[in-house]
Every structure is written in C-alpha cells, then in structure tokens.
Amino acid sequence: MTVGPDGFTVPVSSDDGGPATVFEHLWTPYRMAYIRGSGKPTGEHDCPFCLIPAMADEDGLVVARGETVFAVLNLYPYNAGHLMVVPYRHVPDYTDLTDHEVAELGAFTQTAMRVVRQVTGAHGFNIGMNQGSVAGAGIADHLHQHAVPRWGGDTNFMPVIGLTRVLPQVLAETRTLLAAAWPGAVRPATAGD
C-alpha cells in the first residue's frame, strides 16, 4: 500500500482493488500457538463445557440448567450478556445432537433471547455456532451456540479505534440478574418474604 498526496490510502498495483485497499495487515505471530492447539482442551477431562456442569452455578457462570443443555455466560464476552447454550454431551457437531437435544437447544436459545432482552434491553442478537476450528470454534470438540446481545451503536469508537470492549457489568452480576429472570428459576427468599 501507498499513501497518496491527499493522505488517503490507495491500492498498490499487486492488490488489484482487493482488501488491501481498505485493510492493513496486523501480524500476530503469538496466535500461532493457539491456532496449532496449544492450551486447547484435548478431551472431556479438560473440556470446560464438560467441567462446568459439576461446578456451582456461580462458579461456572451457569445461568440455567435443562435436561440436556445448559446456558452459561461466555467468559470472554463480545458484549455484556453474551450467553452460550451448551449440550451436556461432549459432541462436536450439530448433526451429532439427538432430536430432543436440538429441541431443547432451540428452546433455551429462545429463552436466552427473551431473558437477556428483558434484563438488558438488547435491540437485537447474533445467534450462531462455529462448527469446527477452521470455522472459528475456540472449543471445536464440544458444540455450543452463542447468543450475543446487540444494541444500536454498540460498535463505536472503543472497539473500532481503541481496540477495547467496554463491558459495563462484571460477569457475576450479569449471571445473577439473568439467572433470576430465567423462567422457572428458583429465587432465594429475601428478608421481606
């Protein structure tokens, strides 16, 4: 890339109008260890989605538990309230789920959207699964579906220019609010009860 006299980026001859006309390259060689699998779970014995169900809800950031799936806050959220719906079974692919698991995963995803919208006032959601490490799954061997709440203007200068995400609430507080609003949740008695 070269910079023109007006200060704007112009394409180099080898780019032929491609991405280099807009994007710069950011070299992150430290990511290669992660890409090659360093520190990733190797099986059920160290898979966080297999270990979380044995933890207390508060410790595992579990929002709700179903018969075949559970809802858990993402430890590295894109936005406040970023949940994942995870089957208890350690399976990598959506096609590995039983009909009952698919139905409960769908119902939990709908409930997650309703609860997060009620608690946070989210304007929309990104819902999805990354199937396989080449598709972006951080933990490819254990299927999980993301429910990421979105708000108008949530992609402002902080993540775009400042490369910083602003999360207005600690995960424990978010978990408590969402768990209390989840239909059928057992709410602790208060002094006024």
Side-chain angles (χ1 to χ4, degrees):
M1 270 207 232
T2 58
V3 178
D6 60 358
F8 293 101
T9 302
V10 295
V12 294
S13 59
S14 64
D15 189 36
D16 196 28
T21 60
V22 180
F23 294 103
E24 295 285 341
H25 291 281
L26 176 61
W27 301 107
T28 56
Y30 61 88
R31 296 271 301 149
M32 189 52 69
Y34 178 77
I35 291 167
R36 290 184 176 143
S38 178
K40 288 188 180 179
T42 58
E44 294 180 39
H45 69 283
D46 63 349
C47 171
F49 298 138
C50 291
L51 300 174
I52 288 170
M55 298 177 183
D57 289 354
E58 294 79 10
D59 295 334
L61 298 174
V62 175
V63 172
R65 296 174 187 259
E67 184 180 326
T68 64
V69 302
F70 61 98
V72 61
L73 282 179
N74 191 319
L75 191 56
Y76 305 104
Y78 285 104
N79 275 335
H82 178 171
L83 287 169
M84 295 176 293
V85 180
V86 185
Y88 291 112
R89 283 193 319 123
H90 186 85
V91 296
D93 199 82
Y94 188 66
T95 62
D96 295 328
L97 295 179
T98 66
D99 291 344
H100 184 64
E101 288 168 324
V102 169
E104 191 171 34
L105 185 125
F108 257 57
T109 301
Q110 288 180 324
T111 301
M113 291 175 65
R114 289 182 189 111
V115 167
V116 170
R117 191 175 284 127
Q118 171 192 334
V119 170
T120 69
H123 298 152
F125 289 86
N126 291 120
I127 303 292
M129 301 177 206
N130 298 320
Q131 294 284 265
S133 58
V134 298
I139 302 173
D141 290 339
H142 197 136
L143 173 84
H144 52 285
Q145 178 159 275
H146 294 266
V148 182
R150 302 301 303 265
W151 293 267
D154 68 4
T155 303
N156 57 31
F157 77 95
M158 287 301 287
V160 175
I161 303 297
L163 302 176
T164 304
R165 294 197 188 280
V166 178
L167 300 170
Q169 192 172 54
V170 296
L171 291 173
E173 290 176 15
T174 304
R175 192 216 70 81
T176 299
L177 290 170
L178 296 177
W182 199 276
V186 176
R187 290 161 181 80
T190 61
D193 288 345

